[in-house]
Amino acid sequence: MCCNVCHVRYERSQTQSDSHLPRLLNKPLTLQLAHLSDPHLTSPDRVRWRELANKRLLGYLSWKYRRKHKHRADVLAALVRDIASRKPDHITVTGDLTQIGTAMECDEAYSWLETLGSPDQVSVIPGNHDVYAEDDWMRTIGVWSPYMFGIEPGTEQLFPAVHEHGSVALIGLSTAVPTAPFMATGSLGERQLSRLDGLLADLAERNLFRVILIHHGPVPGTNSFRRRLTDAGRFLAVLEQRGCELVLHGHGHHNLRDRIETASADIPVFGVSSASMATNNPETTATWNSYTIEQRDRSWRLTVQSRSYNPDRHEFTDAGTPLQVDFPES
Ligand SMILES: [Fe+2]
Ligand SMILES: [Fe+2]
């Protein structure tokens, strides 16, 4: 249903394999969520020159002479295979699927989303590269609507949007706005923030585990001035007031485990590196995170395991030991 916020209630998909069935029946309040970000998987090679008559020209040149060589399709394919082998209940992608957000790239990214799973199994939010310049929403990221929490085409103002999976609520935000050349900032805007405030209160009332998905990392110091979330202060003020249980983001192309301190509780924050970059640095090589969320009466346990790309073995392996967070009874 669509009301103040776009609200999709998740039921077990008929397309899920039967291998999920015993786990869901025995532990119906457990969710395994896979998180990847910044695949930058598309190629603007066939872009029309008239589409470059704005900031996109700089982005195109940056891609052609620099970023093209950093983001590898084979690494992303290995990451997707690794996620599939773990059979998560849901996959979330926190933005920057494209290079300069052209219509052709958005179509290409949609085809890739289809290979990940159905809209019931996969959710996506946009990043700054996906809204690189002013363009027709319906022809660009609007084609991702089924994967953007079921937002209706033409209703791009509907963030925040919610995807409920049992007792877990995935809350998608959009920080993707066109910016000036050489800037990669993001903004939520007052309208989205005020709706988020009410939404978090409603979901807390229902005792749901609230996971916020946002492209730009909100923790102070995470991003440079040029790449920051411009209204991070207002966002943190909403969290101070309403709280949430988990924040996931991308954008930094950097693995990050942090927390937001509020008066009532610390909120775990996880950022993941680009899903298509191969480096020898564990902080920047392609990584995805697995979050297992278990409900125990009125308390929760979160277990996080990172899986990172090993360039020598061309495969993903556990990065460190699992991190466990226990939430007090509400
Ligand atoms: Fe990115
Ligand atoms: Fe980004």
Side-chain angles (χ1 to χ4, degrees), residues 38 40 96 253:
D38 297 69
H40 290 287
D96 276 4
H253 297 192

Side-chain angles (χ1 to χ4, degrees), residues 66-122:
R66 189 171 59 88
R67 297 205 325 270
K68 181 179 185 177
H69 308 289
K70 286 185 173 180
H71 297 285
R72 288 174 34 185
D74 62 319
V75 174
L76 179 60
L79 180 141
V80 170
R81 281 197 303 275
D82 195 59
I83 290 178
S85 72
R86 299 299 170 113
K87 295 183 168 59
D89 299 306
H90 195 85
I91 301 171
T92 192
V93 187
T94 49
D96 276 4
L97 283 68
T98 69
Q99 314 294 349
I100 53 176
T102 62
M104 200 176 290
E105 286 181 274
C106 289
D107 286 343
E108 185 181 347
Y110 183 84
S111 298
W112 176 77
L113 288 169
E114 287 184 309
T115 68
L116 286 188
S118 70
D120 276 348
Q121 298 164 317
V122 179

Side-chain angles (χ1 to χ4, degrees), residues 256-286:
L256 176 145
R257 293 180 174 193
D258 212 325
R259 63 183 176 169
I260 295 169
E261 294 179 19
T262 72
S264 54
D266 288 352
I267 301 169
V269 179
F270 294 89
V272 281
S273 57
S274 164
S276 58
M277 269 178 56
T279 76
N280 287 312
N281 182 346
E283 293 184 355
T284 56
T285 197

Side-chain angles (χ1 to χ4, degrees), residues 38 96 128-129 215 227 251:
D38 297 69
D96 276 4
N128 55 301
H129 278 261
H215 181 66
R227 299 173 55 79
H251 186 58

